[in-house]
Amino acid sequence: MYGPFTNEGLVGRAIAGRRDEVVVATKFGNQHRPDGSWVRVNGEPAYVRRACDASLARLGVDHIDLYYQHRVDRSVPVEDTWGPMAELVEAGKVRHLGISEAAPATVRRANAVHDPPLTTGPVLHGLTSMLDGEAGAAAVECEEDNACWGCWTDTDGGATWRAAWTAGAWWCCSPKGSRTSSSGSR
């Protein structure tokens, strides 16, 4: 999803003919030029739609299982970004929505736009980030809404979370050992 946009093409070739055997997750938010150079964080409605269509084409699939807003565009109300994301679900292009690196209040506002609410919440910087501050509060917000969340590092150095599509449900094991799930309809 980030320039020069080769990874989604590689994944698309790897899963060709096996779409029903995999869960496809991708993200948008950091806008890049075709050469890979960074433009800006973009949450504008037209960009949300354009980014999704481009990911679908590069991946060679008709839908994305989990579509993340990777960065929150502070110049666009999250409701204006999540409206088009909800439309992507309604159109069948996306099945589940997630948001990354968002404050608790932003998670609540995104949840208010899309029913059912987001499937995955903020990806925390590390386990040590959960001890206090906004990252920990965002994880609590996700758990209260029965949404999956996770860290992309454990003690700020390695992967700690895992999730699997099992029996029609999204299961998530958090670093603190709790297990949350949501129904397959999420």
Side-chain angles (χ1 to χ4, degrees), residues 73-90:
D73 183 345
R74 294 174 190 244
S75 69
V76 178
V78 73
E79 295 85 352
D80 292 351
T81 302
W82 274 65
M85 291 175 69
E87 291 169 7
L88 294 170
V89 173
E90 291 168 14

Side-chain angles (χ1 to χ4, degrees), residues 34-111:
D35 68 1
S37 60
W38 189 77
V39 177
R40 68 185 188 99
V41 172
N42 193 339
E44 294 176 2
Y47 177 72
V48 172
R49 294 179 191 99
R50 222 174 32 249
C52 181
D53 288 342
S55 288
L56 288 167
R58 285 189 295 269
L59 289 162
V61 298
D62 64 349
H63 70 276
I64 295 166
D65 295 300
L66 176 59
Y67 197 50
Y68 271 98
Q69 179 182 8
H70 188 214
R71 296 282 190 273
V72 176
D73 183 345
R74 294 174 190 244
S75 69
V76 178
V78 73
E79 295 85 352
D80 292 351
T81 302
W82 274 65
M85 291 175 69
E87 291 169 7
L88 294 170
V89 173
E90 291 168 14
K93 293 181 177 186
V94 172
R95 293 215 172 133
H96 306 275
L97 301 176
I99 192 168
S100 181
E101 301 180 24
T106 305
V107 172
R108 282 189 296 276
R109 289 171 45 215
N111 266 339

Side-chain angles (χ1 to χ4, degrees), residues 91-134:
K93 293 181 177 186
V94 172
R95 293 215 172 133
H96 306 275
L97 301 176
I99 192 168
S100 181
E101 301 180 24
T106 305
V107 172
R108 282 189 296 276
R109 289 171 45 215
N111 266 339
V113 173
H114 178 60
D115 185 34
L118 63 93
T119 300
T120 59
V123 176
L124 309 175
H125 293 277
L127 186 56
T128 55
S129 301
M130 291 182 51
L131 299 178
D132 57 16
E134 276 197 350

Side-chain angles (χ1 to χ4, degrees), residues 107 111 116-121 138-149 169-172 178-184 186:
V107 172
N111 266 339
L118 63 93
T119 300
T120 59
V140 169
E141 179 71 30
C142 287
E143 287 192 5
E144 288 173 357
D145 290 333
N146 200 29
C148 175
W149 60 270
W170 182 259
W171 291 98
C172 205
S178 67
R179 183 172 174 149
T180 60
S181 69
S182 63
S183 70
R186 278 204 143 173

